[in-house]
Amino acid sequence: MSTTRRGLSERLVEEIEGLLPRYPTRRAALLPALHLVQEELGRVPHEAVVGLAELLGLKPAEVEDTLTFYGFFRQDEPLGRVRVWVCRSLSCSCRGGEELLEYLGQKLGIRPGQTTPDGRVTLEVAECLGACDYAPAMLADGTLHKNLTKGKIDAFVESIRQDASSGGLPGA
Amino acid sequence: MDNSNMTITIDGQPVAAEPGMTILEAALAAGIYIPNLCHHPDLKPVGICRLCMVELDGRGLTLSCMTPVAEGMDVRTESPDIDKVRRVATELLIANHYPDCLACAKNDRCELQRIAAYVGVDQKGLERLRRTERRFEVDRSNPFFDYDPNQCVLCGICVRTCDEIVGVNALDYAFRGFQTVVSTFGNRPIAESTCVSCGECVVRCPVGALVPKDMPRPSREVKTICPYCGVGCSLYLGVRGRRVVSVRGDRESPVNQGRLCVKGRFGYEFVNHPERLTAPLVKRNGRFVEVSWDEALGVVAERLQGYRGDQFAAMASAKCTNEENYVIQKFVRRVMGTNNVDHCARLCHAPSVTGLVQSFGSGAMTYSIGEIQDAASIFAIGTNTTSAHPVLALEIKRAVRRGAQLIVANPKEIDLVRHACLFLQHRPGSDVALMMGMMRVIVDEGLEDKAFVAERCENFEAFRESLSAFGLDFVETTTGVPREKIVQAARIYATRKPGAIFYSMGITQHTHGTDNVLATSNLALLTGNVGRTSSGVNPLRGQNNVQGACDMGALPNVYPGYQKVSDPDVQAKFERAWDGPLSPNPGLALTEMFDAIDQGRLKALYLMGENPALSEADANHAREALEKLEFFVSQDIFLTESNRMAHVVLPAASFAEKDGTFTNTERRVQRVRRAIEPPGQAQPDWWIICQLARRMDVGGFDFSHPSEIMDEIARLTPSYGGISYNRLENGGLQWPCPSADHPGTRYLHAQRFNTPSGKGRFVPLQYRPPAEEVEPQYPLVLTTDRSLYHFHTSTMTRRVEGLEKLDGRELLRIHPDDAQRLGIADGDRVQVRSRRGRIEVQAQVTEICRPGVVSLTFHFWEAPTNVLTHAALDPVAKIPETKVCAVAVEKA
């Protein structure tokens, strides 16, 4: 993909500029712009921060302030193709969320915060998914997995393994 | 809005307050302490430390720093609830704070200590709150200050200072919660960030997180003026023993309001430098030998007797005081009988004088630094303000924050561009075309100030006709700036008033420098942007006292106050005052002196504090000329590239070691004060010249203190008529200040211009290309620039270790397209050749240059840029074209 000298692809620049009319100032578009970058690149690298700053009339240090405040964004290591959040808030913990997190980690061979060596899955801990009535809960690429059990985890891991072998998931 | 004062009650005490104040400000102004950490009077309140809690009826606990006062407000600063909240806030701050207060540089000046002492902390509470050790590495990368995140209280004062005051944003918060830290972008060491090392955050840090390195506390402080650029920041030199050990900005100064740049705040080490000259030197058998003052002065007086008249010349100094420049021009005229006196203003703002005198009748900056913030539009052309006039640049940035639209015209994408709404990257030397193009648009669209043009200006019709040659097709091709941008710039500047023009060497250092200046004055006249507050034409003077050196008549054609040497009445006036005959013939300009030496017309030279061997265009020629002198005497604080060739070198006192005055770029005459004794036998420049005159048996040099010289200046110089040391004790005075009861003049030309007719004069202009254009053998244009970290030929700044660390070598800036074509990679050694010379430097490949344009500073003797530059002169101002010459670049 062609990149401009700003460290952002032309498409990204276009998409971010498309956001601007919705906000009162350029600065206000920073968070959604960060999401767009993360979505396309799987992370928000150094050069993209410089590019975003230039595009939105900010200084790189200001962009980084916002970027690092949120656990959602990645700076250095790219994310895996699937990003899995296991909730460990009060309700989920009471109903076994922490054990399930550990179980999923063992199955994938990684700890929370890490990505599988083949780049398939990134495992994360969520402070609350807002799904307490379905505790324990897990979010995987926008799909909420409710009333999680070991069995459901097995099935989930199997499904992403198949998707990976058929190349079904879009790469980052 | 009601502007009357109001009264509020704090703990039952009535307290006067002004509308718009916060409760905290009203309390502090009334001498009532409320604990606070994130508050700073220079910054907008943010309310993040939660310590300044007070109680209000009906509103409970309230942040006093965020709450505006209202009539009758009843504020309580003590209650059990307040105590509980701020005790926890304080304990949270202290629990993980560095515990060794006595070893901390901020000990006894720390706001956290003060708060802890006031609030009282509970040992058990601290232990309960203490978390696992979290140690950050101390960042010692900056040569002037250290950053220890372990001592940081996250008040954000540094972050907000870098944003609101400096406009650099090198620092910001990173991460969240317990991990939060103030950091540079990418968490790099400060020295590798965009930090400009001004130290504004360091002076505001309330704790020991940002502290200067090696700045012991002084035993006394002396108020004086910074010796670097023409902004003229007021500062306090801290003295301990016989040494200058610290610098502190003067918050009361209307010029800098306490702010300083990296050179002003940290660049004073040269004063105490071991290489300072401490004894008179006389060259014998090719080597300097130390002699007594008596012997040295005897040699100089005797030799100079033989060179009276036009075979003698002196180069005065824009670094020296008004009094010293007055004395040396008097010496040249009265003792030596010639008008051959000039100084480096010839190389910087000679065209401002020749140009602005034609159009306005006065060559100085028309308005004041304090007015910048109220401009509605600013056109900055040919000025790299953040590097060359950093503190004035802060005011431009402040104006932008307050809504001004900034247009930057520069061949390089300088830092100021980041604050601009419009950037015109024109070709070096195409300034007349650019501005005439803008004026053509203004006239075509009827945006000129018709009333102002009709009532206050003359020669408009002839000028208007000259605009016909500047159609946008021609202007676009000549300048390389897209026409839409030119139109936009014209509209912004013509319609957003008041509009101010700032310019510097990018305008003047051309063979058409006078025309460039006239283009700026035409532009201001056309839009009525002169003679009013916050508008005008503002040449930014480079040296600390270049304005003053010109005012004092250190120029070949005028006496002090720009009174012409060729005017018989003026001549008679000075002959009476100085009691002797004077020459009516204008003398040689500095740039003409080298040819005159070469041709044998000029045989003896007196050089006061200048370094032409590095600063002259075509420097090899200047150096060769200096070698031909029959007698060459210099006074300076160091041996330089120039005075190593002298026969006698006399040791001078630095700015910190003498009394006097400097006149800054806004015509403000300010007092320079002696803080320490000069090293060894060094003496102030005025003393040395007076001693010589006395030995040469000429009267009128019996001054015992610079104040007596100022009294003589005031008697003979109408614009300085009301200036005396007594008055200057209470702050500076801006000339014209004609009488002892005159308050000085904030902006010029309010009622009438200084021209004979009293009207502002339009001058028709034609486009003339630079004297040297590119050709296949020399395909690139070289333009010169300045570094923030060095000054002029760096005689002072390169003797400051920290500045040398921040910027220690010359770099040739070259655009990636050119670099690629020439097979040059970033960091390669390259050879730069012009028709006159060659140098070897390291290349920096960067997009800040236009393709086809390369740039160099001239701060480094190892790579003397001016051996390349072109000595072609502006026909009127006689300034060389150091901003444009054709060069070839290849890998070394």
Side-chain angles (χ1 to χ4, degrees), chain A residues 5 27 45-47 49-50 54 59-66 68-72 75 127, chain B residues 159 163 167-177 183-188 413 418-419 847:
Chain A
R5 72 170 168 125
R27 173 187 289 264
H46 205 74
E47 314 81 66
V49 172
V50 177
E54 202 175 306
K59 302 292 166 14
E62 293 178 289
V63 173
E64 203 172 61
D65 176 354
T66 305
T68 58
F69 184 81
Y70 294 99
F72 186 81
Q75 285 184 276
E127 290 305 339
Chain B
V159 173
D163 176 35
V168 165
N169 301 76
L171 295 172
D172 213 320
Y173 292 111
F175 310 109
R176 182 169 58 167
S183 163
T184 62
F185 170 49
N187 206 12
R188 306 294 305 154
E413 194 176 333
R418 285 187 291 140
H419 303 267
E847 281 159 342

Side-chain angles (χ1 to χ4, degrees), chain B residues 649-664:
Chain B
V649 178
L650 306 172
S654 78
F655 84 108
E657 299 144 4
K658 63 190 176 190
D659 285 304
T661 57
F662 292 157
T663 305
N664 79 347

Side-chain angles (χ1 to χ4, degrees), chain A residues 83-90 92-93 95-106 108 110-113 121-131 135-141 143-145 148-149 153 156-157:
Chain A
R83 192 176 193 185
V84 181
W85 302 85
V86 178
C87 184
R88 65 162 180 203
S89 67
L90 192 61
C92 290
S93 288
R95 292 181 56 81
E98 307 235 13
E99 291 80 8
L100 291 171
L101 172 65
E102 202 180 322
Y103 179 71
L104 177 55
Q106 274 168 7
L108 296 170
I110 51 174
R111 286 206 305 274
V121 185
T122 299
L123 180 58
E124 310 244 25
V125 172
E127 290 305 339
C128 183
L129 291 174
M138 174 179 96
L139 186 71
D141 264 1
T143 307
L144 186 65
H145 296 253
L148 206 60
T149 59
I153 286 178
F156 168 72
V157 171

Side-chain angles (χ1 to χ4, degrees), chain B residues 826-845:
Chain B
D826 193 64
D828 279 355
R829 295 289 299 173
V830 295
Q831 192 188 63
V832 190
R833 276 183 298 120
S834 79
R835 289 184 181 83
R836 291 154 295 277
R838 61 182 65 196
I839 62 170
E840 219 182 274
V841 290
Q842 192 175 326
Q844 184 186 44
V845 178

Side-chain angles (χ1 to χ4, degrees), chain B residues 101-110 113 217:
Chain B
C101 280
L102 285 178
C104 172
K106 280 281 174 63
N107 185 35
D108 91 2
R109 284 181 298 188
C110 169
Q113 282 177 339
R217 295 187 195 181

Side-chain angles (χ1 to χ4, degrees), chain B residues 6 117 128 136 148 184 249 260 275 290 321 362 382 425 441 461 528 602 667 692 700 734 738 786 811 818 833 849 890:
Chain B
M6 54 172 77
R128 186 171 57 85
F136 293 102
D148 182 355
T184 62
L260 296 170
E275 285 169 22
E290 287 193 7
T321 62
S362 172
Q425 194 167 21
V441 172
E461 280 312 314
L602 199 59
R667 299 166 276 106
L692 267 180
Q734 285 177 283
R786 307 289 181 276
L811 291 172
D818 295 321
R833 276 183 298 120
C849 280
E890 60 204 37

Side-chain angles (χ1 to χ4, degrees), chain B residues 265-322:
Chain B
R265 189 183 309 283
F266 299 115
Y268 53 86
E269 202 176 284
F270 74 91
V271 172
N272 306 324
H273 199 277
E275 285 169 22
R276 280 288 302 275
L277 291 172
T278 54
L281 303 173
V282 172
K283 203 174 263 171
R284 289 191 181 129
N285 302 322
R287 297 187 55 178
F288 282 122
V289 182
E290 287 193 7
V291 299
S292 68
W293 270 113
D294 190 52
E295 190 178 343
L297 290 168
V299 170
V300 177
E302 193 197 318
R303 293 293 308 269
L304 288 186
Q305 296 284 14
Y307 294 104
R308 282 204 159 104
D310 290 341
Q311 51 188 334
F312 170 84
M315 295 181 190
S317 175
K319 279 249 140 327
C320 291
T321 62
N322 285 321

Side-chain angles (χ1 to χ4, degrees), chain B residues 88-349:
Chain B
V88 172
T90 309
E91 286 172 355
L92 277 167
L93 285 169
I94 295 173
N96 288 289
H97 193 82
Y98 178 81
D100 290 337
C101 280
L102 285 178
C104 172
K106 280 281 174 63
N107 185 35
D108 91 2
R109 284 181 298 188
C110 169
E111 283 299 313
L112 190 58
Q113 282 177 339
R114 186 179 182 195
I115 289 160
Y118 187 84
V119 173
V121 288
D122 172 7
Q123 196 61 38
K124 267 196 206 142
L126 290 183
E127 275 159 25
R128 186 171 57 85
L129 293 167
R130 196 160 287 148
R131 288 281 172 276
T132 19
E133 275 284 281
R134 176 194 66 153
R135 300 307 287 178
F136 293 102
E137 218 173 295
V138 180
D139 181 349
R140 302 188 195 281
S141 63
N142 190 289
F144 298 118
F145 58 87
D146 291 336
Y147 168 46
D148 182 355
N150 303 301
Q151 308 219 41
C152 177
V153 289
L154 300 176
C155 66
I157 285 178
C158 55
V159 173
R160 286 178 285 138
T161 298
C162 204
D163 176 35
E164 293 176 33
I165 293 176
V166 189
V168 165
N169 301 76
L171 295 172
D172 213 320
Y173 292 111
F175 310 109
R176 182 169 58 167
F178 195 56
Q179 301 307 320
T180 309
V181 63
V182 169
S183 163
T184 62
F185 170 49
N187 206 12
R188 306 294 305 154
I190 285 179
E192 292 171 29
S193 73
T194 53
C195 170
V196 293
S197 302
C198 65
E200 290 295 323
C201 58
V202 179
V203 296
R204 286 181 181 77
C205 179
V207 295
L210 282 160
V211 290
K213 279 188 168 100
D214 314 321
M215 212 185 250
R217 295 187 195 181
S219 63
R220 62 191 168 93
E221 287 189 323
V222 178
K223 186 172 161 178
T224 189
I225 301 298
C226 176
Y228 286 106
C229 78
V231 174
C233 296
S234 176
L235 49 80
Y236 289 89
L237 288 182
V239 180
R240 185 158 162 161
R242 293 178 65 120
R243 295 168 70 85
V244 173
V245 294
S246 67
V247 168
R248 178 167 70 86
D250 171 13
R251 289 183 65 88
E252 308 299 316
S253 163
V255 176
N256 55 311
Q257 297 158 26
R259 298 162 303 175
L260 296 170
C261 74
V262 58
K263 295 188 288 280
R265 189 183 309 283
F266 299 115
Y268 53 86
E269 202 176 284
F270 74 91
V271 172
N272 306 324
H273 199 277
E275 285 169 22
R276 280 288 302 275
L277 291 172
T278 54
L281 303 173
V282 172
K283 203 174 263 171
R284 289 191 181 129
N285 302 322
R287 297 187 55 178
F288 282 122
V289 182
E290 287 193 7
V291 299
S292 68
W293 270 113
D294 190 52
E295 190 178 343
L297 290 168
V299 170
V300 177
E302 193 197 318
R303 293 293 308 269
L304 288 186
Q305 296 284 14
Y307 294 104
R308 282 204 159 104
D310 290 341
Q311 51 188 334
F312 170 84
M315 295 181 190
S317 175
K319 279 249 140 327
C320 291
T321 62
N322 285 321
E323 293 73 7
E324 289 162 340
N325 279 288
Y326 177 84
V327 167
I328 195 168
Q329 62 85 34
K330 183 176 177 183
F331 176 86
V332 172
R333 296 187 158 117
R334 176 65 188 82
V335 181
M336 299 306 292
T338 174
N339 285 309
N340 286 341
V341 58
D342 203 358
H343 69 286
C344 69
R346 187 64 52 199
L347 310 177
C348 63
H349 273 296

